[in-house]
Amino acid sequence: MMTSDMPVGLPSLRQVNLDQYRLFVEHAREVFFQTDMEGVLVFLNPAWEQITGFSVAKSIGTSLFAYVYPDDRQRCKNLFNAMINGRLSPSQRCELRCLTVDQQSCWLQADL
């Protein structure tokens, strides 16, 4: 019979760390995002809506590139493809213009 020194009902250290991380991401003023290999958004934190005005729920499942300012789109796609194909050095940083819900642009810095 195996026993544990951890009292029953207490969260594990891993669960506490996940909860802290979740709180950090949800309350950050910076946008945290994740895409699939095609550039489709699969995760966005609430800062996305605060900065761009686009709904998080409606943006999930759409292309990241749809929100990039048209003049910057090809450069962004090139950087994305280089990252996917392992041709970018770790911690690559780029600046790009993003569209807001009212079709204005805002500058964003992305750490890839």
Side-chain angles (χ1 to χ4, degrees):
M1 178 172 170
M2 295 179 64
T3 62
S4 171
D5 292 335
M6 180 180 264
V8 175
L10 286 181
S12 69
L13 182 57
R14 181 176 181 174
Q15 185 60 47
V16 169
N17 287 341
L18 286 172
D19 291 343
Q20 289 174 338
Y21 180 76
R22 186 175 296 113
L23 280 171
F24 172 76
V25 169
E26 288 175 358
H27 293 92
R29 290 189 220 166
E30 293 84 16
V31 174
F32 286 75
F33 70 93
Q34 182 179 3
T35 69
D36 66 9
M37 299 292 279
E38 304 299 318
V40 174
L41 292 163
V42 296
F43 173 82
L44 286 164
N45 69 333
W48 171 257
E49 195 162 341
Q50 295 167 358
I51 292 171
T52 68
F54 289 107
S55 159
V56 168
K58 290 181 180 178
S59 298
I60 298 294
T62 63
S63 173
L64 167 67
F65 308 115
Y67 303 97
V68 176
Y69 193 77
D71 292 347
D72 297 344
R73 226 170 255 156
Q74 190 58 52
R75 183 174 62 90
C76 186
K77 287 179 181 182
N78 292 343
L79 281 170
F80 181 83
N81 288 329
M83 181 185 66
I84 294 297
N85 294 316
R87 295 189 317 260
L88 277 184
S89 61
S91 302
Q92 180 75 30
R93 180 172 286 172
C94 69
E95 290 184 350
L96 56 98
R97 288 174 290 180
C98 185
L99 293 171
T100 62
V101 73
D102 58 0
Q103 297 302 299
Q104 299 297 310
S105 66
C106 63
W107 281 96
L108 298 178
Q109 178 177 299
D111 294 314
L112 309 174

